[in-house]
Amino acid sequence: MVTIVSEQIQSQPVCIVVGASHAGVNCAFELRKQGFSGRLVLIDADMHLPYHRPPLSKAFLNTPLDDAPAPLKAKSAYEQADIELFLGAMVTKVDAKENIVSFNKGGSGNAENGYSIKYTHLVFATGASPIIPPIPGLNVAENCLVMRNAKDALALKSLMHAKRENISNLNIVIVGAGYIGLEAAASLRKAGASVTVIEREERILARVASESVSNHVARIHQENGATILCQRNVSAVERDTDKGFQWIVCDNGERYRADAILLGVGVRVNSELAQEAGTSLHRGAISVNTHMQTSIKNIWAIGDCTSFTHPLYGENSHIESVQNALEQAKVAAKNIQQISVADAGDAAPLQNYKAIPWFWSDQYNMKLQMVGLPVNADCQVTRQESKEALSVWHFVQNKLVSVEAINSPKSYVLGGRAIDKNAFIDKSKLADPSQSLADLL
Ligand code: FAD
């Protein structure tokens, strides 16, 4: 057993970041940018050099099999920034009393080859993992795929590659019509596979988009040959061992043949470590204040794993997006550095998180962009610009809070500015696409 405990040198703080994805990597680099001169340790269970996740369900599925996911930073950048990167390393324990993080490298899951490092500040950037619904016959190790990391995307890509000579005979059933399931559906259709998407709600994207956007996206999928089935509840998966495929059984009795099943029913936050360490949670996510600080003063949390207060959208906000991960990373890094400097006698106020959220998705020739959140919206205006372009504007008591745009970058950009400036918009003219947006805003 190898245990290395780095004793903190008084003048040298140690910051450990658990999770090296969009939030964790950006927090580490931002810390250096802010002048953090202490020891900086970045740990992730994933073996791959940290990479961009959004392409995994999109263009990456249609690139050659041996392509690596696009790295967030070159390997040399970590060395240059003096960031110690531990990959394939699972953090197993955080002792918040003694300020010690324990992890093992090599995935052994026990104390063999274990490391323990003492920290001054700890950042949880542990993200989330796919939900596996308890459906009889469904077994993630054996007969279904998920889509969260490079390994997941490579598994689907390998399957597509193996069937490439006869891909129209490859029947993929996607359970869940959220963004990730629909993006994968579009990539699979592009490759020529046969795709059926099964959704429990009465429309696709029900949790995250307006009805106009859902209807538009569903139409584009259908025009591109995907089958979209809503109000279907999958009740079982049955295996036809002789023929090597499975049946997805719905509770209305319908059965769909699947050579492979892809689950896209949402994620649950990776918060077990934080909970064991004693930080407060809200609905399973790590609660942070506007500075990204958890209920334990020197423990921070950023990105998909957080529940936070947003000045526009209120308490217990939870956002899963790259932009949110990046902005929270910046705020946490600035505050950690601020506290480190303040410890040396130079106090200044901490930064608050207040960025307006934005998000995008690419499916076929469709670019979806969203800015703001339609929380408590009491009015929405749809602006149909052409058959392929539309935008939906959401208001709370005449105040613009969110814009969804499909193939309409102008609506997205100008809408974002209007939310930011709290600008007045004449709603009666907004729905008329002959009225110039620039004049209206
Ligand atoms: P994650 O990316 O989930 O990273 C968390 C990391 O923590 C993981 O690498 C994990 O291995 C590590 N970890 C967890 N626990 C431990 C532990 N105990 N020990 C060591 N390591 C640990 N967002 C958009 O804005 N636009 C998009 O188009 C878009 N498309 C997406 C497509 C896909 C396929 C996926 C999966 C996500 C997409 N997202 C998109 C969402 C976006 O990728 C996430 O919001 C973002 O990755 C969140 O970053 P994060 O660093 O908070 O968490």
Side-chain angles (χ1 to χ4, degrees):
M1 174 170 143
V2 185
T3 302
I4 304 167
V5 178
S6 83
E7 284 303 333
Q8 177 192 338
I9 305 161
Q10 283 303 313
S11 58
Q12 284 287 300
V14 178
C15 182
I16 301 182
V17 183
V18 185
S21 181
H22 292 279
V25 167
N26 282 285
C27 183
F29 279 89
E30 184 69 27
L31 271 163
R32 283 293 185 238
K33 195 172 151 198
Q34 294 299 322
F36 183 81
S37 58
R39 184 177 179 195
L40 199 38
V41 179
L42 186 53
I43 309 171
D44 203 296
D46 201 316
M47 297 295 293
H48 294 84
L49 188 64
Y51 50 85
H52 289 272
R53 284 185 197 233
L56 296 180
S57 49
K58 308 181 182 75
F60 183 67
L61 290 175
N62 301 114
T63 63
L65 188 58
D66 52 4
D67 270 15
L72 291 173
K73 302 272 180 192
K75 195 162 179 255
S76 55
Y78 297 88
E79 287 152 17
Q80 278 161 19
D82 194 15
I83 296 169
E84 295 172 48
L85 183 59
F86 288 85
L87 295 176
M90 175 67 86
V91 173
T92 50
K93 189 163 187 252
V94 170
D95 181 337
K97 286 206 177 77
E98 297 297 326
N99 294 337
I100 291 175
V101 164
S102 302
F103 61 101
N104 50 59
K105 201 156 155 34
S108 58
N110 57 38
E112 293 296 314
N113 300 320
Y115 295 75
S116 295
I117 302 183
K118 204 164 163 71
Y119 60 83
T120 322
H121 290 278
L122 171 66
V123 182
F124 282 116
T126 46
S129 300
I131 292 171
I132 314 293
I135 296 172
L138 189 73
N139 184 333
V140 87
E142 286 176 21
N143 63 356
C144 79
L145 301 161
V146 290
M147 180 61 70
R148 182 71 195 182
N149 57 31
K151 195 172 156 220
D152 301 333
L154 285 166
L156 178 57
K157 213 167 157 175
S158 301
L159 179 70
M160 292 161 73
H161 187 77
K163 303 273 179 174
R164 67 191 178 285
E165 303 299 340
N166 213 353
I167 195 147
S168 60
N169 286 344
L170 177 66
N171 276 301
I172 308 272
V173 175
I174 299 175
V175 180
Y179 282 115
I180 289 178
L182 292 172
E183 288 170 358
S187 306
L188 283 157
R189 282 302 302 139
K190 190 171 177 194
S194 163
V195 176
T196 302
V197 182
I198 297 184
E199 168 57 53
R200 189 179 56 185
E201 303 298 325
E202 62 182 20
R203 61 182 173 90
I204 64 167
L205 298 173
R207 273 190 317 120
V208 287
S210 63
E211 200 168 341
S212 310
V213 166
S214 292
N215 291 343
H216 184 98
V217 174
R219 173 174 67 79
I220 300 295
H221 274 272
Q222 279 149 356
E223 285 175 5
N224 280 279
T227 303
I228 305 277
L229 303 165
C230 292
Q231 292 181 292
R232 308 292 201 284
N233 208 5
V234 177
S235 55
V237 173
E238 290 173 6
R239 191 178 285 224
D240 193 324
T241 11
D242 292 346
K243 300 196 179 108
F245 57 74
Q246 300 152 74
W247 292 103
I248 298 272
V249 184
C250 297
D251 60 6
N252 64 359
E254 290 172 357
R255 295 161 72 81
Y256 299 96
R257 187 195 141 154
D259 295 308
I261 302 165
L262 176 65
L263 287 177
V265 296
V267 292
R268 56 158 196 82
V269 165
N270 297 322
S271 56
E272 295 83 355
L273 273 180
Q275 187 174 24
E276 280 164 28
T279 69
S280 302
L281 303 188
H282 176 79
R283 291 194 175 170
I286 308 171
S287 292
V288 287
N289 61 18
T290 52
H291 312 312
M292 301 293 115
Q293 220 164 8
T294 69
S295 54
I296 299 177
K297 217 175 141 205
N298 64 339
I299 301 187
W300 308 73
I302 52 177
D304 277 16
C305 65
T306 61
S307 170
F308 59 97
T309 299
H310 192 284
L312 285 181
Y313 308 109
E315 283 181 4
N316 305 323
S317 297
H318 169 76
I319 298 178
E320 293 158 19
S321 79
V322 168
Q323 176 257 355
N324 181 63
L326 301 191
E327 297 288 350
Q328 293 195 340
K330 272 190 213 159
V331 171
K334 285 180 182 161
N335 289 336
I336 291 170
Q337 171 60 1
Q338 189 53 51
I339 286 178
S340 304
V341 176
D343 287 346
D346 183 10
L350 297 182
Q351 298 258 330
N352 292 311
Y353 178 72
K354 53 178 188 239
I356 294 173
W358 53 262
F359 180 84
W360 81 96
S361 174
D362 298 322
Q363 298 164 39
Y364 310 104
N365 292 327
M366 221 174 5
K367 178 111 195 143
L368 286 102
Q369 293 169 298
M370 278 133 281
V371 56
L373 299 176
V375 175
N376 299 329
D378 50 31
C379 166
Q380 59 173 254
V381 176
T382 299
R383 186 178 160 94
Q384 187 78 48
E385 287 155 29
S386 70
K387 191 170 177 242
E388 305 308 332
L390 73 100
S391 53
V392 182
W393 302 65
H394 300 266
F395 297 83
V396 176
Q397 293 176 348
N398 292 324
K399 191 177 152 194
L400 181 68
V401 288
S402 168
V403 179
E404 301 166 278
I406 296 182
N407 294 339
S408 180
K410 209 179 240 178
S411 301
Y412 166 73
V413 172
L414 295 179
R417 271 188 217 151
I419 295 171
D420 203 23
K421 288 189 190 146
N422 205 3
F424 173 77
I425 301 167
D426 185 342
K427 284 190 276 184
S428 62
K429 293 186 177 157
L430 191 58
D432 177 359
S434 67
Q435 299 274 346
S436 147
L437 271 183
D439 293 345
L440 282 176
L441 299 170

